[in-house]
Coordinates of all heavy atoms in Angstrom, one line a residue:
M16 N 29.3 -47.0 -54.0 CA 30.1 -47.1 -52.9 C 30.8 -48.4 -52.9 O 30.1 -49.4 -53.0 CB 29.5 -46.8 -51.5 CG 30.4 -46.5 -50.4 SD 29.7 -46.1 -48.8 CE 28.9 -44.6 -49.1
S17 N 32.1 -48.5 -52.7 CA 32.8 -49.9 -52.7 C 32.4 -50.7 -51.5 O 32.0 -50.1 -50.4 CB 34.3 -49.7 -52.8 OG 34.8 -49.2 -51.7
V18 N 32.6 -52.0 -51.5 CA 32.4 -52.8 -50.4 C 33.3 -52.5 -49.2 O 32.9 -52.4 -48.1 CB 32.6 -54.2 -50.8 CG1 32.5 -55.2 -49.6 CG2 31.6 -54.7 -51.9
V19 N 34.6 -52.1 -49.5 CA 35.5 -51.8 -48.6 C 35.1 -50.5 -47.7 O 35.0 -50.4 -46.5 CB 36.9 -51.6 -49.0 CG1 37.9 -51.1 -47.9 CG2 37.4 -53.0 -49.5
R20 N 34.7 -49.5 -48.6 CA 34.3 -48.2 -48.0 C 33.0 -48.4 -47.1 O 32.7 -47.8 -46.1 CB 34.0 -47.2 -49.1 CG 33.8 -45.8 -48.6 CD 33.9 -44.8 -49.6 NE 33.5 -43.5 -49.0 CZ 33.4 -42.5 -49.7 NH1 33.4 -42.6 -51.0 NH2 33.1 -41.4 -49.0
T21 N 32.1 -49.2 -47.7 CA 30.8 -49.5 -47.0 C 31.1 -50.2 -45.7 O 30.4 -49.7 -44.7 CB 29.8 -50.4 -47.8 OG1 29.6 -49.7 -49.1 CG2 28.6 -50.7 -47.1
E22 N 32.0 -51.1 -45.6 CA 32.3 -51.8 -44.4 C 32.9 -50.8 -43.5 O 32.7 -50.8 -42.2 CB 33.3 -52.9 -44.7 CG 33.5 -53.8 -43.5 CD 32.3 -54.4 -42.8 OE1 31.3 -54.7 -43.5 OE2 32.3 -54.5 -41.6
T23 N 33.9 -49.9 -44.0 CA 34.5 -48.8 -43.0 C 33.4 -47.9 -42.5 O 33.5 -47.6 -41.2 CB 35.6 -48.2 -43.8 OG1 36.5 -49.0 -44.4 CG2 36.2 -47.1 -43.0
V24 N 32.6 -47.5 -43.3 CA 31.5 -46.7 -42.7 C 30.7 -47.3 -41.7 O 30.3 -46.8 -40.7 CB 30.5 -46.2 -43.9 CG1 29.3 -45.5 -43.4 CG2 31.3 -45.2 -44.8
R25 N 30.4 -48.6 -42.0 CA 29.6 -49.3 -40.9 C 30.4 -49.6 -39.6 O 29.8 -49.5 -38.5 CB 29.3 -50.8 -41.4 CG 28.2 -50.8 -42.4 CD 27.8 -52.2 -42.9 NE 26.8 -52.1 -43.8 CZ 26.4 -53.1 -44.6 NH1 27.1 -54.3 -44.5 NH2 25.4 -53.1 -45.5
Q26 N 31.7 -49.8 -39.7 CA 32.5 -50.0 -38.5 C 32.5 -48.6 -37.8 O 32.4 -48.5 -36.5 CB 34.0 -50.4 -38.9 CG 34.0 -51.8 -39.3 CD 35.4 -52.1 -39.9 OE1 36.2 -51.3 -40.1 NE2 35.6 -53.5 -39.9
I27 N 32.7 -47.5 -38.4 CA 32.7 -46.2 -37.8 C 31.4 -45.9 -37.1 O 31.3 -45.4 -36.0 CB 33.1 -45.1 -38.8 CG1 34.5 -45.2 -39.2 CG2 32.8 -43.7 -38.3 CD1 34.9 -44.4 -40.4
A28 N 30.3 -46.3 -37.8 CA 29.0 -46.0 -37.3 C 28.8 -47.0 -36.0 O 28.2 -46.4 -35.0 CB 27.9 -46.4 -38.3
A29 N 29.3 -48.2 -36.0 CA 29.2 -49.0 -34.9 C 30.0 -48.5 -33.8 O 29.5 -48.5 -32.6 CB 29.7 -50.4 -35.2
I30 N 31.2 -48.0 -33.9 CA 32.0 -47.5 -32.9 C 31.4 -46.2 -32.3 O 31.2 -46.1 -31.1 CB 33.4 -47.0 -33.5 CG1 34.2 -48.4 -33.7 CG2 34.2 -46.1 -32.5 CD1 35.5 -48.1 -34.5
L31 N 30.8 -45.3 -33.1 CA 30.1 -44.2 -32.6 C 28.9 -44.6 -31.8 O 28.5 -43.9 -30.8 CB 29.7 -43.3 -33.8 CG 30.8 -42.6 -34.4 CD1 30.4 -41.7 -35.7 CD2 31.4 -41.6 -33.5
A32 N 28.1 -45.6 -32.3 CA 27.0 -46.1 -31.5 C 27.3 -46.6 -30.1 O 26.7 -46.3 -29.1 CB 26.2 -47.2 -32.3
V33 N 28.4 -47.3 -30.1 CA 28.8 -47.9 -28.7 C 29.3 -46.7 -27.9 O 29.0 -46.6 -26.8 CB 29.9 -49.0 -29.0 CG1 30.5 -49.3 -27.6 CG2 29.4 -50.2 -29.5
A34 N 30.1 -45.8 -28.4 CA 30.6 -44.7 -27.7 C 29.5 -43.9 -27.1 O 29.4 -43.4 -26.0 CB 31.6 -43.8 -28.5
T35 N 28.5 -43.7 -28.0 CA 27.3 -42.8 -27.6 C 26.6 -43.6 -26.5 O 26.1 -43.0 -25.6 CB 26.3 -42.5 -28.8 OG1 27.2 -41.9 -29.8 CG2 25.2 -41.8 -28.4
S36 N 26.4 -44.9 -26.7 CA 25.6 -45.6 -25.7 C 26.3 -45.7 -24.4 O 25.7 -45.5 -23.4 CB 25.3 -47.1 -26.2 OG 26.5 -47.8 -26.2
L37 N 27.6 -45.9 -24.4 CA 28.3 -45.8 -23.1 C 28.4 -44.4 -22.4 O 28.3 -44.3 -21.3 CB 29.8 -46.3 -23.3 CG 29.8 -47.8 -23.6 CD1 31.3 -48.3 -23.9 CD2 29.2 -48.6 -22.6
T38 N 28.5 -43.4 -23.3 CA 28.4 -42.0 -22.8 C 27.1 -41.7 -22.3 O 26.9 -41.1 -21.2 CB 28.8 -41.1 -24.0 OG1 30.0 -41.2 -24.4 CG2 28.7 -39.6 -23.5
A39 N 26.0 -42.3 -22.9 CA 24.6 -42.1 -22.5 C 24.4 -42.7 -21.1 O 23.6 -42.3 -20.3 CB 23.7 -42.7 -23.4
L40 N 25.3 -43.7 -20.8 CA 25.2 -44.3 -19.4 C 25.6 -43.3 -18.2 O 25.4 -43.6 -17.1 CB 26.0 -45.6 -19.4 CG 25.6 -46.7 -20.2 CD1 26.6 -47.9 -20.1 CD2 24.2 -47.2 -19.8
A41 N 26.1 -42.2 -18.8 CA 26.4 -41.2 -17.8 C 25.3 -40.3 -17.4 O 25.4 -39.4 -16.7 CB 27.6 -40.3 -18.3
S42 N 24.2 -40.7 -17.9 CA 22.9 -40.0 -17.6 C 22.6 -40.1 -16.1 O 23.3 -40.9 -15.4 CB 21.8 -40.6 -18.4 OG 21.4 -41.9 -18.0
P43 N 21.5 -39.5 -15.6 CA 21.2 -39.6 -14.3 C 21.0 -41.1 -13.7 O 21.2 -41.4 -12.6 CB 19.9 -38.8 -14.1 CG 20.0 -38.0 -15.2 CD 20.7 -38.6 -16.3
S44 N 20.6 -42.0 -14.6 CA 20.5 -43.3 -14.2 C 21.8 -44.1 -13.9 O 21.8 -45.1 -13.2 CB 19.6 -44.1 -15.1 OG 20.2 -44.3 -16.4
F45 N 22.9 -43.7 -14.5 CA 24.1 -44.3 -14.3 C 25.2 -43.3 -14.2 O 25.0 -42.2 -14.6 CB 24.5 -45.3 -15.5 CG 23.8 -46.5 -15.6 CD1 22.6 -46.6 -16.3 CD2 24.3 -47.5 -14.8 CE1 21.9 -47.9 -16.4 CE2 23.5 -48.7 -14.8 CZ 22.4 -48.9 -15.6
A46 N 26.4 -43.6 -13.6 CA 27.4 -42.7 -13.5 C 28.7 -43.2 -14.1 O 29.8 -43.2 -13.5 CB 27.7 -42.4 -12.0
F47 N 28.6 -43.6 -15.3 CA 29.7 -44.0 -16.1 C 30.6 -42.8 -16.6 O 30.1 -41.7 -16.9 CB 29.3 -44.9 -17.3 CG 28.9 -46.3 -16.8 CD1 27.6 -46.6 -16.9 CD2 29.8 -47.1 -16.3 CE1 27.3 -47.9 -16.5 CE2 29.5 -48.4 -15.8 CZ 28.2 -48.8 -15.9
T48 N 31.9 -43.0 -16.8 CA 32.7 -42.0 -17.2 C 33.5 -42.3 -18.5 O 33.2 -43.4 -19.1 CB 33.8 -42.0 -16.1 OG1 34.6 -43.2 -16.1 CG2 33.3 -41.7 -14.8
A49 N 34.4 -41.4 -18.9 CA 35.2 -41.7 -20.1 C 36.0 -43.0 -19.9 O 36.3 -43.7 -20.8 CB 36.2 -40.5 -20.4
E50 N 36.4 -43.2 -18.6 CA 37.2 -44.5 -18.4 C 36.3 -45.7 -18.6 O 36.8 -46.6 -19.1 CB 37.8 -44.4 -16.9 CG 38.5 -45.6 -16.5 CD 39.8 -45.8 -17.3 OE1 40.2 -44.9 -18.0 OE2 40.4 -46.9 -17.2
A51 N 35.1 -45.6 -18.2 CA 34.1 -46.8 -18.4 C 34.0 -47.0 -20.0 O 34.0 -48.0 -20.4 CB 32.8 -46.5 -17.8
Q52 N 33.8 -45.9 -20.7 CA 33.9 -46.0 -22.2 C 35.2 -46.7 -22.7 O 35.0 -47.6 -23.6 CB 33.7 -44.7 -22.8 CG 33.5 -44.7 -24.3 CD 33.3 -43.4 -24.8 OE1 32.9 -42.4 -24.1 NE2 33.5 -43.1 -26.1
R53 N 36.2 -46.2 -22.2 CA 37.5 -46.9 -22.7 C 37.6 -48.3 -22.4 O 38.0 -49.1 -23.2 CB 38.7 -46.1 -22.1 CG 40.0 -46.4 -22.6 CD 41.2 -45.7 -22.1 NE 41.5 -45.9 -20.6 CZ 42.2 -47.1 -20.3 NH1 42.5 -48.0 -21.3 NH2 42.5 -47.4 -19.1
Q54 N 37.2 -48.6 -21.1 CA 37.3 -50.1 -20.6 C 36.3 -51.0 -21.2 O 36.5 -52.1 -21.4 CB 37.1 -50.1 -19.1 CG 38.3 -49.4 -18.3 CD 39.5 -50.3 -18.4 OE1 39.6 -51.4 -18.6 NE2 40.6 -49.5 -18.0
C55 N 35.1 -50.5 -21.6 CA 34.0 -51.3 -22.0 C 33.7 -51.3 -23.5 O 32.9 -52.2 -23.9 CB 32.7 -50.9 -21.2 SG 32.9 -51.2 -19.4
T56 N 34.2 -50.5 -24.3 CA 33.9 -50.6 -25.8 C 34.2 -51.8 -26.4 O 33.3 -52.4 -27.1 CB 34.6 -49.4 -26.4 OG1 34.2 -48.1 -25.9 CG2 34.4 -49.4 -28.0
G57 N 35.3 -52.5 -26.1 CA 35.7 -53.7 -26.7 C 34.7 -54.8 -26.2 O 34.2 -55.7 -27.0
D58 N 34.3 -54.8 -25.0 CA 33.4 -55.8 -24.5 C 32.0 -55.6 -25.1 O 31.3 -56.5 -25.4 CB 33.2 -55.6 -22.9 CG 34.4 -56.1 -22.2 OD1 35.0 -57.1 -22.6 OD2 34.8 -55.5 -21.1
A59 N 31.6 -54.3 -25.3 CA 30.3 -54.1 -26.0 C 30.2 -54.6 -27.3 O 29.3 -55.2 -27.8 CB 30.0 -52.6 -26.0
F60 N 31.3 -54.5 -28.1 CA 31.5 -55.1 -29.4 C 31.5 -56.7 -29.4 O 30.8 -57.2 -30.2 CB 32.7 -54.6 -30.2 CG 32.5 -53.3 -30.9 CD1 33.1 -52.2 -30.4 CD2 31.7 -53.1 -31.9 CE1 33.0 -50.9 -31.0 CE2 31.5 -52.0 -32.5 CZ 32.1 -50.8 -32.1
R61 N 32.2 -57.2 -28.5 CA 32.4 -58.6 -28.3 C 31.2 -59.3 -27.8 O 30.7 -60.4 -28.5 CB 33.5 -58.9 -27.3 CG 33.8 -60.3 -27.2 CD 35.1 -60.5 -26.3 NE 35.1 -59.8 -25.1 CZ 34.6 -60.4 -24.0 NH1 34.1 -61.6 -24.0 NH2 34.6 -59.7 -22.8
L62 N 30.4 -58.7 -27.0 CA 29.3 -59.4 -26.3 C 28.0 -59.0 -26.7 O 27.0 -59.7 -26.6 CB 29.4 -59.3 -24.7 CG 30.7 -59.9 -24.1 CD1 30.8 -59.4 -22.7 CD2 30.6 -61.4 -24.2
C63 N 27.9 -57.6 -27.2 CA 26.6 -57.0 -27.4 C 26.4 -56.4 -28.7 O 25.5 -55.6 -28.9 CB 26.3 -56.0 -26.3 SG 26.4 -56.8 -24.6
S64 N 27.3 -56.8 -29.7 CA 27.2 -56.1 -31.0 C 25.8 -56.1 -31.7 O 25.5 -55.3 -32.4 CB 28.3 -56.6 -32.0 OG 28.1 -58.0 -32.3
S65 N 25.1 -57.2 -31.3 CA 23.8 -57.4 -32.0 C 22.7 -56.4 -31.5 O 21.7 -56.2 -32.0 CB 23.3 -58.8 -31.8 OG 23.1 -59.1 -30.4
E66 N 23.1 -55.8 -30.3 CA 22.2 -54.8 -29.6 C 22.4 -53.4 -30.2 O 21.7 -52.5 -29.9 CB 22.3 -54.8 -28.2 CG 22.3 -56.2 -27.6 CD 21.0 -57.1 -27.9 OE1 20.0 -56.3 -28.3 OE2 21.0 -58.2 -27.9
I67 N 23.5 -53.2 -30.8 CA 23.9 -51.8 -31.3 C 22.9 -51.4 -32.4 O 22.6 -52.3 -33.3 CB 25.4 -51.8 -31.9 CG1 26.3 -52.2 -30.8 CG2 25.7 -50.4 -32.6 CD1 27.7 -52.4 -31.3
P68 N 22.3 -50.3 -32.3 CA 22.6 -49.1 -31.5 C 21.7 -48.8 -30.5 O 21.6 -47.7 -29.9 CB 22.5 -47.9 -32.7 CG 21.4 -48.4 -33.5 CD 21.5 -49.9 -33.5
D69 N 20.9 -49.7 -30.1 CA 19.9 -49.5 -29.0 C 20.5 -49.4 -27.7 O 21.0 -50.5 -27.1 CB 18.8 -50.6 -29.0 CG 17.7 -50.5 -28.1 OD1 17.9 -50.2 -26.9 OD2 16.5 -50.4 -28.7
I70 N 20.6 -48.3 -27.1 CA 21.3 -48.0 -25.9 C 20.8 -48.8 -24.7 O 21.5 -49.4 -24.0 CB 21.2 -46.5 -25.5 CG1 22.0 -45.7 -26.6 CG2 21.8 -46.2 -24.0 CD1 21.8 -44.2 -26.6
G71 N 19.6 -48.9 -24.6 CA 18.9 -49.6 -23.5 C 19.2 -51.1 -23.5 O 19.5 -51.8 -22.6
R72 N 19.2 -51.7 -24.8 CA 19.5 -53.1 -25.0 C 21.0 -53.4 -24.8 O 21.4 -54.4 -24.3 CB 19.1 -53.5 -26.3 CG 17.5 -53.6 -26.4 CD 17.0 -54.0 -27.9 NE 17.7 -55.1 -28.4 CZ 17.5 -55.6 -29.6 NH1 16.7 -55.0 -30.4 NH2 18.0 -56.7 -30.0
I73 N 21.9 -52.4 -25.3 CA 23.3 -52.6 -25.0 C 23.6 -52.7 -23.5 O 24.3 -53.5 -22.9 CB 24.1 -51.5 -25.6 CG1 24.1 -51.5 -27.1 CG2 25.5 -51.5 -25.1 CD1 24.6 -50.3 -27.8
T74 N 22.9 -51.7 -22.7 CA 23.2 -51.6 -21.2 C 22.7 -52.9 -20.5 O 23.4 -53.5 -19.8 CB 22.3 -50.4 -20.7 OG1 22.8 -49.2 -21.3 CG2 22.5 -50.3 -19.2
A75 N 21.4 -53.4 -21.0 CA 21.0 -54.6 -20.4 C 21.9 -55.9 -20.8 O 22.1 -56.7 -20.0 CB 19.6 -54.9 -21.0
C76 N 22.4 -55.8 -22.0 CA 23.3 -56.9 -22.3 C 24.6 -56.9 -21.5 O 25.1 -58.0 -21.1 CB 23.6 -56.8 -23.9 SG 24.8 -58.0 -24.5
M77 N 25.1 -55.8 -21.4 CA 26.4 -55.7 -20.5 C 26.1 -56.1 -19.1 O 26.9 -56.9 -18.6 CB 26.8 -54.1 -20.6 CG 27.3 -53.7 -21.9 SD 28.8 -54.4 -22.6 CE 30.0 -53.5 -21.8
V78 N 25.0 -55.7 -18.5 CA 24.7 -56.1 -17.2 C 24.4 -57.7 -17.1 O 25.0 -58.4 -16.3 CB 23.4 -55.4 -16.6 CG1 23.0 -56.0 -15.4 CG2 23.8 -54.0 -16.5
K79 N 23.8 -58.2 -18.1 CA 23.5 -59.7 -18.3 C 24.7 -60.4 -18.5 O 24.8 -61.6 -17.9 CB 22.6 -59.9 -19.4 CG 22.3 -61.3 -19.7 CD 21.4 -61.4 -21.0 CE 21.4 -62.9 -21.5 NZ 20.8 -63.0 -22.8
N80 N 25.6 -59.8 -19.1 CA 27.0 -60.6 -19.4 C 28.1 -60.2 -18.5 O 29.3 -60.3 -18.8 CB 27.4 -60.4 -20.9 CG 26.4 -61.1 -21.8 OD1 26.4 -62.3 -21.8 ND2 25.7 -60.4 -22.6
R81 N 27.7 -59.7 -17.3 CA 28.7 -59.1 -16.4 C 29.9 -60.1 -16.1 O 31.0 -59.7 -16.1 CB 28.1 -58.7 -15.1 CG 29.0 -58.1 -14.1 CD 28.5 -58.0 -12.7 NE 29.3 -57.5 -11.8 CZ 30.3 -58.2 -11.2 NH1 30.4 -59.4 -11.5 NH2 31.2 -57.7 -10.4
S82 N 29.6 -61.4 -16.0 CA 30.6 -62.3 -15.7 C 31.6 -62.6 -16.9 O 32.7 -63.0 -16.6 CB 30.0 -63.7 -15.3 OG 29.2 -64.2 -16.3
S83 N 31.2 -62.2 -18.1 CA 32.1 -62.3 -19.2 C 32.8 -61.1 -19.6 O 33.6 -61.0 -20.5 CB 31.3 -62.7 -20.4 OG 30.7 -64.0 -20.2
L84 N 32.6 -60.0 -18.8 CA 33.2 -58.6 -19.1 C 34.6 -58.8 -18.7 O 35.1 -59.5 -17.8 CB 32.6 -57.5 -18.3 CG 31.1 -57.2 -18.6 CD1 30.5 -56.2 -17.7 CD2 31.0 -56.8 -20.1
S85 N 35.5 -57.9 -19.4 CA 36.9 -57.8 -18.9 C 37.0 -57.2 -17.5 O 35.9 -56.5 -17.1 CB 37.7 -56.9 -19.9 OG 37.1 -55.6 -19.9
S86 N 37.9 -57.4 -16.8 CA 38.0 -57.0 -15.4 C 37.8 -55.4 -15.3 O 37.1 -54.9 -14.4 CB 39.2 -57.5 -14.6 OG 40.4 -56.9 -15.3
G87 N 38.5 -54.7 -16.2 CA 38.3 -53.2 -16.1 C 37.0 -52.7 -16.4 O 36.5 -51.9 -15.7
C88 N 36.3 -53.3 -17.3 CA 34.9 -53.0 -17.6 C 34.0 -53.4 -16.5 O 33.1 -52.7 -16.1 CB 34.5 -53.7 -18.9 SG 32.7 -53.2 -19.4
R89 N 34.2 -54.6 -15.9 CA 33.4 -55.0 -14.8 C 33.6 -54.0 -13.6 O 32.5 -53.7 -12.9 CB 33.8 -56.4 -14.3 CG 32.8 -57.1 -13.4 CD 33.2 -58.5 -13.0 NE 33.5 -59.2 -14.1 CZ 34.7 -59.8 -14.3 NH1 35.6 -59.8 -13.3 NH2 35.1 -60.5 -15.4
I90 N 34.8 -53.6 -13.3 CA 34.9 -52.6 -12.3 C 34.2 -51.4 -12.5 O 33.5 -50.8 -11.7 CB 36.4 -52.4 -12.1 CG1 37.1 -53.5 -11.4 CG2 36.7 -51.1 -11.2 CD1 38.6 -53.5 -11.5
E91 N 34.2 -50.9 -13.7 CA 33.5 -49.6 -14.2 C 32.1 -49.8 -14.1 O 31.3 -48.9 -13.6 CB 34.0 -49.1 -15.5 CG 35.5 -48.7 -15.6 CD 35.8 -47.6 -14.6 OE1 35.0 -46.6 -14.6 OE2 36.9 -47.5 -14.0
L92 N 31.6 -50.9 -14.5 CA 30.2 -51.2 -14.5 C 29.6 -51.2 -13.1 O 28.6 -50.6 -12.7 CB 29.8 -52.5 -15.2 CG 28.3 -53.0 -15.2 CD1 27.6 -52.1 -16.2 CD2 28.3 -54.5 -15.5
D93 N 30.4 -51.9 -12.2 CA 30.0 -52.0 -10.8 C 30.0 -50.5 -10.2 O 29.1 -50.2 -9.4 CB 30.9 -52.9 -9.9 CG 30.8 -54.3 -10.4 OD1 29.7 -54.7 -11.0 OD2 31.6 -55.2 -10.0
K94 N 31.0 -49.7 -10.5 CA 31.0 -48.3 -10.0 C 29.8 -47.5 -10.4 O 29.1 -46.9 -9.6 CB 32.2 -47.6 -10.5 CG 33.6 -47.9 -9.8 CD 34.6 -47.0 -10.5 CE 36.0 -47.5 -10.3 NZ 37.1 -46.6 -10.9
G95 N 29.3 -47.7 -11.6 CA 28.2 -47.0 -12.1 C 26.9 -47.5 -11.5 O 26.0 -46.8 -11.1
L96 N 26.8 -48.8 -11.4 CA 25.6 -49.4 -10.7 C 25.5 -49.1 -9.2 O 24.5 -48.8 -8.7 CB 25.7 -50.9 -10.9 CG 25.4 -51.4 -12.3 CD1 25.6 -52.9 -12.4 CD2 24.1 -51.0 -13.0
S97 N 26.7 -48.9 -8.6 CA 26.7 -48.6 -7.1 C 26.3 -47.1 -6.9 O 25.5 -46.7 -6.1 CB 28.2 -48.9 -6.7 OG 28.3 -48.3 -5.3
A98 N 26.9 -46.2 -7.9 CA 26.4 -44.8 -7.8 C 24.9 -44.7 -8.0 O 24.3 -43.9 -7.4 CB 27.1 -44.1 -8.9
K99 N 24.3 -45.5 -9.0 CA 22.9 -45.4 -9.3 C 22.1 -45.9 -8.0 O 21.2 -45.2 -7.6 CB 22.6 -46.3 -10.4 CG 21.1 -46.4 -10.6 CD 20.7 -47.5 -11.7 CE 19.2 -47.4 -11.9 NZ 18.7 -48.5 -12.8
T100 N 22.6 -47.0 -7.4 CA 21.9 -47.5 -6.2 C 21.9 -46.4 -5.1 O 21.0 -46.1 -4.4 CB 22.6 -48.7 -5.6 OG1 22.6 -49.7 -6.6 CG2 21.9 -49.3 -4.4
R101 N 23.1 -45.6 -4.9 CA 23.1 -44.6 -3.8 C 22.2 -43.5 -4.1 O 21.6 -42.9 -3.3 CB 24.6 -44.1 -3.7 CG 25.6 -45.0 -3.0 CD 26.8 -44.4 -2.7 NE 27.5 -43.8 -3.9 CZ 28.4 -44.4 -4.7 NH1 28.7 -45.7 -4.4 NH2 28.9 -43.9 -5.7
R102 N 22.1 -43.1 -5.4 CA 21.2 -42.1 -5.8 C 19.8 -42.3 -5.6 O 18.9 -41.6 -5.1 CB 21.4 -41.7 -7.3 CG 22.5 -40.7 -7.5 CD 22.5 -40.1 -8.9 NE 22.5 -41.1 -10.0 CZ 23.5 -41.7 -10.5 NH1 24.8 -41.5 -10.0 NH2 23.5 -42.6 -11.4
V103 N 19.4 -43.6 -6.0 CA 18.0 -44.1 -5.8 C 17.7 -44.1 -4.2 O 16.6 -43.6 -3.8 CB 17.8 -45.4 -6.3 CG1 16.5 -46.0 -6.0 CG2 17.9 -45.3 -7.9
A104 N 18.6 -44.6 -3.5 CA 18.3 -44.6 -1.9 C 18.3 -43.3 -1.4 O 17.6 -43.1 -0.3 CB 19.6 -45.5 -1.4
A105 N 18.9 -42.2 -2.0 CA 18.9 -40.9 -1.3 C 17.6 -40.2 -1.7 O 17.3 -39.2 -1.2 CB 20.1 -40.1 -1.8
Q106 N 16.9 -40.7 -2.6 CA 15.7 -40.0 -3.1 C 14.5 -40.2 -2.1 O 14.2 -40.8 -1.4 CB 15.2 -40.5 -4.5 CG 16.1 -40.0 -5.5 CD 15.7 -40.6 -6.9 OE1 14.8 -41.4 -7.0 NE2 16.4 -40.0 -7.9

């Protein structure tokens, strides 16, 4: 496999890992949406690429780096965390 093709495959795999991890945040513990995925994918690559593909580590990294997130991602992260807090309080 050529170097260019290998790099392309790696990039596609990384994009799928981030998309999967952000989609997984829509699990019962978080309430992230397709909009959160759209807003946060770039931030995940920029701030947390070393954590890919570990979903838990990506999530922790995004929360840890909240102040460095783009405004759109920060808003979506806060929405998800707020929804999680409401669900936990209702239990």
Side-chain angles (χ1 to χ4, degrees):
M16 194 182 289
S17 72
V18 173
V19 173
R20 187 168 179 194
T21 301
E22 187 60 31
T23 301
V24 170
R25 284 184 183 165
Q26 288 174 343
I27 291 170
I30 289 168
L31 289 174
V33 170
T35 300
S36 67
L37 293 175
T38 301
L40 293 176
S42 70
S44 63
F45 284 94
F47 285 112
T48 62
E50 180 63 14
Q52 182 177 338
R53 189 177 75 74
Q54 293 288 341
C55 296
T56 298
D58 290 323
F60 276 110
R61 181 172 55 88
L62 299 168
C63 305
S64 62
S65 64
E66 310 305 334
I67 296 169
D69 187 305
I70 294 167
R72 289 174 53 186
I73 294 169
T74 303
C76 176
M77 296 291 277
V78 171
K79 176 182 161 191
N80 289 293
R81 184 188 175 284
S82 64
S83 298
L84 296 174
S85 63
S86 61
C88 182
R89 191 175 319 118
I90 289 167
E91 294 301 319
L92 179 72
D93 291 347
K94 284 181 193 176
L96 293 174
S97 176
K99 177 185 177 186
T100 301
R101 285 192 305 271
R102 277 193 304 277
V103 169
Q106 290 179 351

